[in-house]
Amino acid sequence: MRVVFMGTPPIAATILESLAEKHEIVSVYSRPDAVRKRGNGLVASPVKQLAERLGIPVRTPRTLRDSDEVAHLGSLAPDVICVAAYGALLPEPVLSIPRHGCLNVHASALPRWRGAAPIERAILAGDERAGVCVMRMEAGLDTGDFACMREVEIGSSNAGDLTARLASCGAEALIEALDLVGRSELSWTVQDEGAVTYADKIGKGELDPHPNDSAVDVERKVRASSEAHPAHAVIADREIILESVRVLAASDEELAEGLEAGQARFSRKRFVLKCSEGAVEVLGLKPKGKKSMDARSFAAGIQNVKNIVMEWGTE
């Protein structure tokens, strides 16, 4: 089957790598090169880098609404266009090109979490399970029928771990869907509009933990964070990124005894932050301008920190 693949981030690269082993990828589309880190030059997306290693032609148009771009895409005569986190909407002229339509690998159990950040929203909402499915693309935002659903337990997974697991599941689901499409045996499920929820983009600073948050909310924010959307905080007047925390167990509550929301203490080689409800223990963090470290290493850099009450917050 002649496939055009469209995707940009690592989750899409994982799917492309598996897809290329099974089907003829006639072209790959990805978002234009961009500055990925401050001070660096333009960097190609993970999908573009992989496609170049595989020897697959790559295009990075700024828009698919250009008539010449649509004409070129049509000249490729794809049987199907496969999309995974491409980062741009496909206009009607593009949707109508492939004879088997455009299939999108969406990282949620539709109709829950339509939209841009389904993995992060599932973690923040405390969902027990996350999903991935193949969706038939249409003009609306993630409104199409779906098939080949896969689900996994979220547990204590962070956004990176969960994304990697769903990427593997998504690759399996897409390959299965294409096999069924080729045999005219793929059946679709219509989304229940009454069960729809939306996964809006993560806003700037949205994942920064705050003393007014409960311990559960702080833990979820940290697990939902990533390099693109880190969980910033200030502890003892030092700017840090919280990388790993856990809700303080009932058996360890004495570690936070006497603390008020917004206070922190390093005691018995453990670092705890008091929240509006409960407390969290900091396991891993990254001070501004330094490498990732554990809480004990961070505390070692603060004079007389042991058993001293400190302030923590977002500024």
Side-chain angles (χ1 to χ4, degrees):
M1 190 174 292
R2 290 175 60 83
V3 177
V4 167
F5 183 85
M6 298 182 176
T8 300
I11 186 173
T14 296
I15 294 169
L16 172 60
E17 189 167 25
S18 295
L19 189 62
E21 296 176 357
K22 301 288 185 179
H23 293 275
E24 179 189 4
I25 313 296
V26 296
S27 184
V28 164
Y29 281 67
S30 192
R31 301 301 294 153
D33 298 356
V35 177
R36 307 294 174 184
K37 293 183 179 180
R38 184 179 299 176
N40 289 351
L42 295 178
V43 179
S45 73
V47 163
K48 180 180 177 181
Q49 294 179 43
L50 173 61
E52 290 177 338
R53 290 199 300 271
L54 296 176
I56 302 172
V58 187
R59 295 177 72 86
T60 57
R62 294 196 175 278
T63 177
L64 292 176
R65 298 186 182 278
D66 179 79
S67 58
D68 290 339
E69 197 63 53
V70 174
H72 175 79
L73 188 53
S75 72
L76 296 173
D79 295 313
V80 64
I81 294 177
C82 296
V83 182
Y86 177 49
L89 295 176
L90 274 58
E92 287 280 7
V94 171
L95 295 174
S96 63
I97 288 175
R99 64 191 183 98
H100 290 306
C102 300
L103 305 183
N104 179 42
V105 181
H106 184 70
S108 84
L110 289 171
R112 186 161 179 78
W113 302 130
R114 291 179 182 176
I119 293 174
E120 292 89 342
R121 295 299 173 192
I123 293 174
L124 290 171
D127 290 359
E128 293 183 359
R129 299 178 67 82
V132 63
C133 61
V134 176
M135 182 192 67
R136 185 159 53 186
M137 298 185 73
E138 53 185 36
L141 176 63
D142 300 335
T143 57
D145 301 344
F146 66 89
C148 303
M149 179 81 73
R150 302 284 197 279
E151 290 188 284
V152 299
E153 295 284 345
I154 295 178
S156 60
S157 296
N158 61 31
D161 294 337
L162 188 55
T163 297
R165 291 163 62 198
L166 290 176
S168 296
C169 291
E172 294 175 1
L174 180 58
I175 290 170
E176 178 189 2
L178 291 178
D179 182 54
L180 293 171
V181 164
R183 303 200 308 263
S184 299
E185 295 177 0
L186 183 60
S187 60
W188 296 96
T189 300
V190 177
Q191 293 190 46
D192 178 2
E193 291 296 323
V196 170
T197 59
Y198 286 94
D200 295 331
K201 289 182 179 180
I202 300 297
K204 183 178 180 181
E206 183 180 348
L207 300 183
D208 292 351
H210 193 279
N212 289 338
D213 295 330
S214 70
V216 170
D217 288 338
V218 169
E219 190 265 350
R220 289 175 182 173
K221 282 185 173 183
V222 173
R223 284 197 293 118
S225 66
S226 63
E227 184 176 346
H229 298 284
H232 289 106
V234 176
I235 299 179
D237 296 325
R238 287 165 170 79
E239 295 182 38
I240 66 166
I241 293 173
L242 290 172
E243 296 183 322
S244 178
V245 303
R246 65 184 171 204
V247 176
L248 199 65
S251 59
D252 292 324
E253 287 181 350
E254 69 275 8
L255 292 173
E257 187 176 356
L259 295 180
E260 297 181 358
Q263 294 182 326
R265 177 190 290 135
F266 183 75
S267 179
R268 287 185 253 167
K269 301 180 181 180
R270 298 170 69 179
F271 213 152
V272 297
L273 311 180
K274 188 69 174 69
C275 308
S276 64
E277 296 180 21
V280 297
E281 179 181 0
V282 179
L283 304 177
L285 52 85
K286 184 177 183 298
K288 184 177 180 179
K290 296 185 179 181
K291 295 181 179 180
S292 298
M293 61 182 65
D294 58 30
R296 184 178 180 182
S297 298
F298 174 73
I302 305 175
Q303 286 187 341
N304 302 319
V305 69
K306 187 175 181 180
N307 293 322
I308 299 297
V309 174
M310 298 162 282
E311 301 297 318
W312 79 277
T314 56
E315 58 183 16

